[in-house]
Amino acid sequence: MLLKVAGLLCLYLLYGYAPRLSAANLYLTEVAPFAFVKDTKGGYDGINVRIANELRRRSGVSLELVVVPSARHIVMFPADKEAYSISQAENFTNQEGSFLSEVTQFPIVVVAQRGAVLKNYDDLIALSTEKGIGMMRRLSYGTFGQDDRVRKVEINTLENGLRMLEAGRISGIVASQPAILAAAERNASTHLLGPSLVISYGSHVMRVRPEFASSSTSKAINATLLAMKNDGSIARILDDFLKDLKTGLPSVK
């Protein structure tokens, strides 16, 4: 009897009082193909959504996905407590969010209309002279944002930038390659895209509010992300998604 009671007590302690990783918000930016509304019911899909779901499953951490436009992401994440973010590395400083791990890396490209000449950086400078290159504010894309030889025009979204490109109001647009392709799919303007030039590489990274960088949740997330990278899980998620970019990707009406 004593052994039975002791066994039950151990199970009770194991399941009732074992330390559990608490729920935490994980912020994602609502930019296709990384995270976007996939249906009228408000469900989300995208590269970062799929990575986050696998991370949540494998780490055991209860992550609440918060998918919001970039302007809200950059305000809500720094104002939260033990919160996490997957977004472009440039979106936050180390004071706003401590770096945990790189999640993915993508080429940053400038894309011009069909018929334009864009073989090298000198061509890019010349292309920008008349109307400028559309560029999302807050992002710098390495040294590109500070290069005064390239004329730049601020755009709010890639979809608006592509409409400006089609209307001849700008000469090109800069962003990560997957994001430009996804925006073109949404706008039904893939026919518009002409030559492109890789100017740098950008990363989507996992960050945490600095005061929680050493928490058990952060350690579990970091270890799981590393395992997912090492065993090829993240690469497989990327391949599966990018093989058919149109899958679940809604068009702008």
Side-chain angles (χ1 to χ4, degrees):
M1 177 63 72
L2 288 175
L3 288 175
K4 185 176 181 181
V5 171
L8 289 173
L9 181 60
C10 287
L11 288 173
Y12 179 69
L13 290 172
L14 178 63
Y15 292 105
Y17 287 98
R20 295 183 182 179
L21 298 176
S22 59
N25 287 332
L26 171 56
Y27 291 91
L28 306 178
T29 296
E30 191 177 339
V31 173
F34 304 108
F36 57 88
V37 177
K38 69 175 181 179
D39 54 43
T40 56
K41 297 180 181 179
Y44 287 96
D45 195 8
I47 294 167
N48 287 342
V49 172
R50 295 185 186 186
I51 290 172
N53 286 335
E54 180 67 4
L55 173 64
R56 177 166 51 187
R57 184 187 70 80
R58 290 177 56 167
S59 68
V61 176
S62 180
L63 292 170
E64 182 69 29
L65 301 191
V66 183
V67 185
V68 290
S70 180
R72 291 182 62 194
H73 188 155
I74 61 178
V75 172
M76 293 174 68
F77 168 63
D80 209 331
K81 294 183 179 179
E82 186 167 5
Y84 298 81
S85 165
I86 297 178
S87 66
Q88 292 202 51
E90 296 175 323
N91 278 346
F92 299 105
T93 65
N94 290 334
Q95 288 70 42
E96 294 170 321
S98 294
F99 174 88
L100 283 181
S101 175
E102 181 181 83
V103 179
T104 49
Q105 188 180 88
F106 302 99
I108 303 300
V109 298
V110 173
V111 177
Q113 280 200 26
R114 290 187 182 278
V117 176
L118 189 57
K119 296 180 179 179
N120 51 50
Y121 204 83
D122 287 337
D123 289 340
L124 170 58
I125 294 171
L127 179 71
S128 75
T129 301
E130 184 178 353
K131 298 176 182 176
I133 303 299
M135 179 172 160
M136 297 283 286
R137 78 181 160 181
R138 190 178 173 89
L139 299 177
S140 61
Y141 303 117
T143 60
F144 181 79
Q146 290 75 46
D147 191 339
D148 293 334
R149 297 173 299 170
V150 180
R151 182 186 172 194
K152 305 169 193 73
V153 175
E154 184 179 299
I155 59 175
N156 292 324
T157 67
L158 292 179
E159 288 80 10
N160 285 341
L162 285 167
R163 285 190 281 271
M164 292 170 67
L165 182 63
E166 188 167 19
R169 293 169 56 193
I170 55 178
S171 302
I173 187 169
V174 60
S176 72
Q177 188 177 55
I180 287 181
L181 293 175
E185 289 286 353
R186 286 170 60 90
N187 274 21
S189 59
T190 53
H191 64 281
L192 176 70
L193 303 183
S196 64
L197 181 70
V198 176
I199 59 167
S200 66
Y201 286 85
S203 297
H204 278 219
V205 303
M206 174 71 78
R207 291 186 184 273
V208 61
R209 295 292 297 127
E211 57 269 36
F212 296 99
S214 298
S215 71
S216 59
T217 304
S218 294
K219 291 177 181 177
I221 287 174
N222 200 24
T224 305
L225 271 176
L226 180 61
M228 288 171 62
K229 291 171 70 174
N230 288 342
D231 68 16
S233 296
I234 289 179
R236 284 191 292 273
I237 290 171
L238 285 173
D239 287 343
D240 288 345
F241 189 91
L242 295 175
K243 279 178 184 174
D244 186 4
L245 191 60
K246 296 179 183 179
T247 302
L249 199 64
S251 298
V252 172
K253 296 181 180 179

